[in-house]
Amino acid sequence: MSKKSKSRFPFDVVVIGGLGHVGLPLGLIFAKEGLKTCLTDIDSVKAGLVKRGIMPFIEYGAQPILKNVLKNGKLAVSLDLKSVSKGKYIIIALGTPIDEYLNPKTRVFLEIFLKLKKYLRRDQVIIVRSTVYPHTCQQILKILGGSANSWRIAYCPERIVQGYAVKELEELPQIVSGMTAEAVDEAAKLFGLISPKIIKTSIEEAELVKLFSNSWRYIQFAVTNQFYMIARDFGVDYNKVRQAMTEGYGRTATLPTAGFAAGPCLLKDTMQLVAFSSDNFVLGHAAMLVNEGLPNFLVNKLRQKHDLSKTKIGILGMTFKADIDDIRDSLSYKLGKILRFHGAKVYYSDEFAKDCTFVSKEKLLKSSDIIIIGVPHSAYKVLKIPRGKKVIDLWGIVKK
Ligand SMILES: NC(=O)c1ccc[n+]([C@@H]2O[C@H](COP(=O)([O-])OP(=O)(O)OC[C@H]3O[C@@H](n4cnc5c(N)ncnc54)[C@H](O)[C@@H]3O)[C@@H](O)[C@H]2O)c1
């Protein structure tokens, strides 16, 4: 794999799901390190963009790296699964969603290995990067056949925060686990090229590290959101309470601001842990009820004072997180849906996400009686709110 050594493989690294939010930045960083990298995916639209040097989504710092690695021939894009036969390290960065009943959808993820099987060889290293339901690596082995020693299967979960992978991949310690010592050594060798520190664990430990981390974050958001609801019911400004709680007081310093806790990972991974613990992870369920209930709480509060059928409401910020363009599982949409159900005229606007039904920020501010901040994009720090408009700003981002 070294930049100089000869290998039978045309690629050092092949990333399956290579054009996704995890696969693409990871592939770019390996290519930047000089490894010949192939991004394999099924999305021809994203493939077309990436081949032309255009990032298909916001990932800070990625655009110039993409241009460079295309120019120096370190990066290739493929829509053909056969490309897995050409790489030494095969990284799986596919989505691992839950279904409408909040159960992990493991079948689709595992079925990819049925398709990959005929292209895989035992001298390759298979690295699972997706966040998986515990025991998934054992299931992969079952599908591939043979004993643990006959394959080199590693689990190295991704821990970046979306939008900032380029920076964080080179800063965060990397969890490395594997089904054999050889798999661990190989994966550690690969990630040692980009990560400042390797932390070795068993596969079971690594599976829990990832699920516990996301559940922990999700629960922290639920705590602050529940505090927000209690404060509002009490007629008290939660942001002032939080400020007073945390100022110069280390023990509460990590209390996040209130706000929608959404996106494709936190709820999903908390629910994976709920399912794994036979529905006994009561804190996980409670966090889901609080976080997913926040839009309903806001609407109920508004209904106490306004006839929503006569009210125009603008939601500023439709992505699931600030300063990115990803709308996956954003609670702004849930909020809009409930408001419309109660008869409100609802406008949507966003700084990054594009949709022909959205209106400009200026039009939204002018046309709405009530403005709700859906996500704290930095641009909202300097919003000029026209006189007489009511603003609901959980994050406290808009200057009063
Ligand atoms: N998004 C994050 O910030 C983040 C952070 C840490 C971990 N994760 C985990 O990483 C995994 C991937 O998440 P994501 O956000 O990158 O998802 P994503 O949807 O952005 O990316 C998945 C990619 O896989 C591709 N794909 C789907 N089926 C395919 C197939 N059969 N063959 C090849 N490619 C296929 C899709 O086209 C897409 O480009 C999930 O398990 C997620 O929980 C995500």
Side-chain angles (χ1 to χ4, degrees):
M1 175 203 46
S2 101
K3 293 166 218 173
K4 285 174 202 143
S5 68
K6 278 238 180 257
S7 158
R8 80 164 183 86
F9 298 103
F11 295 110
D12 298 303
V13 176
V14 174
V15 188
I16 310 292
L19 300 174
H21 292 84
V22 161
L24 178 51
L26 182 65
L28 289 179
I29 296 298
F30 281 129
K32 180 175 153 240
E33 269 314 301
L35 303 189
K36 286 212 79 173
T37 303
C38 176
L39 306 173
T40 301
D41 207 287
I42 51 169
D43 190 325
S44 54
V45 176
K46 283 196 276 183
L49 289 169
V50 171
K51 278 181 187 168
R52 281 184 284 135
I54 303 166
M55 280 296 292
F57 45 79
I58 292 179
E59 187 54 59
Y60 293 102
Q63 187 65 66
I65 301 176
L66 174 60
K67 290 236 176 241
N68 264 338
V69 294
L70 283 172
K71 204 162 122 194
N72 66 21
K74 293 293 178 194
L75 191 77
V77 177
S78 169
L79 291 170
D80 188 350
L81 264 194
K82 272 189 218 139
S83 57
V84 295
S85 62
K86 298 183 186 159
K88 157 107 193 222
Y89 294 90
I90 310 303
I91 300 182
I92 313 294
L94 297 171
T96 46
I98 48 173
D99 67 15
E100 65 271 44
Y101 308 106
L102 307 177
N103 294 311
K105 278 172 94 168
T106 50
R107 193 170 54 86
V108 179
F109 180 79
L110 288 170
E111 273 175 2
I112 192 80
F113 292 91
L114 284 173
K115 292 188 192 152
L116 291 181
K117 193 176 167 179
K118 57 178 174 283
Y119 306 119
L120 287 170
R121 297 246 314 252
R122 293 176 185 220
D123 57 346
Q124 293 174 297
V125 185
I126 302 162
I127 300 178
V128 178
R129 188 68 168 164
S130 308
T131 306
V132 294
Y133 184 76
H135 292 321
T136 293
C137 294
Q138 293 291 347
Q139 298 289 337
I140 294 171
L141 178 62
K142 252 194 204 161
I143 291 169
L144 296 181
S147 69
N149 281 323
S150 41
W151 295 96
R152 287 182 273 177
I153 300 174
Y155 178 50
C156 307
E158 180 59 86
R159 299 199 293 166
I160 52 99
V161 63
Q162 199 169 308
Y164 301 90
V166 165
K167 182 168 174 284
E168 291 200 347
L169 279 168
E170 294 179 338
E171 287 176 0
L172 295 181
Q174 177 59 53
I175 305 288
V176 170
S177 67
M179 300 202 84
T180 60
E182 207 189 348
V184 171
D185 287 346
E186 283 284 8
K189 201 158 74 177
L190 178 69
F191 280 102
L193 296 173
I194 60 169
S195 310
K197 187 173 184 187
I198 302 293
I199 300 173
K200 293 184 184 175
T201 69
S202 70
I203 287 201
E204 292 75 13
E205 286 161 353
E207 287 169 341
L208 291 186
V209 165
K210 180 62 201 179
L211 292 183
F212 282 176
S213 301
N214 276 1
S215 301
W216 162 240
R217 241 176 117 52
Y218 194 60
I219 290 168
Q220 283 182 312
F221 288 129
V223 169
T224 202
N225 284 335
Q226 182 126 53
F227 286 169
Y228 168 84
M229 295 187 221
I230 293 170
R232 265 202 79 183
D233 279 339
F234 197 37
V236 167
D237 180 344
Y238 177 60
N239 282 321
K240 278 171 101 177
V241 176
R242 188 183 156 274
Q243 174 64 30
M245 272 174 80
T246 51
E247 197 173 319
Y249 195 64
R251 282 186 282 280
T252 53
T254 54
L255 180 68
T257 51
F260 291 157
C265 288
L266 296 188
L267 168 63
K268 184 259 293 183
D269 292 342
T270 307
M271 291 305 112
Q272 296 211 76
L273 195 53
V274 164
F276 179 63
S277 64
S278 311
D279 287 320
N280 282 327
F281 179 27
V282 288
L283 278 176
H285 265 144
M288 183 263 286
L289 294 176
V290 173
N291 289 329
E292 288 289 309
L294 189 53
N296 308 64
F297 175 88
L298 295 180
V299 177
N300 286 341
K301 282 278 162 214
L302 284 174
R303 289 181 68 218
Q304 287 167 6
K305 291 200 175 153
H306 304 268
D307 176 352
L308 292 190
S309 67
K310 296 189 180 117
T311 312
K312 292 183 219 142
I313 302 179
I315 303 178
L316 272 182
M318 300 306 297
T319 58
F320 81 80
K321 187 174 154 320
D323 297 334
I324 61 165
D325 55 0
D326 192 348
I327 59 165
R328 288 182 294 170
D329 298 323
S330 158
L331 282 175
S332 292
Y333 287 90
K334 180 171 181 175
L335 174 66
K337 217 165 136 180
I338 305 169
L339 289 168
R340 283 194 179 121
F341 180 80
H342 290 291
K345 165 101 187 130
V346 182
Y347 302 102
Y348 291 162
S349 175
D350 196 83
E351 297 299 293
F352 302 96
K354 306 264 180 288
D355 185 318
C356 60
T357 66
F358 290 2
V359 298
S360 69
K361 175 171 59 190
E362 291 72 24
K363 173 157 189 228
L364 184 145
L365 290 175
K366 201 166 149 215
S367 312
S368 309
D369 308 308
I370 299 170
I371 294 137
I372 305 179
I373 306 297
V375 71
H377 289 316
S378 303
Y380 301 155
K381 285 183 191 158
V382 291
L383 269 188
K384 292 223 162 53
I385 308 285
R387 260 175 204 282
K389 310 267 176 177
K390 177 171 181 164
V391 180
I392 296 169
D393 173 17
L394 280 82
W395 284 272
I397 186 167
V398 179
K399 288 221 174 66
K400 294 222 167 95

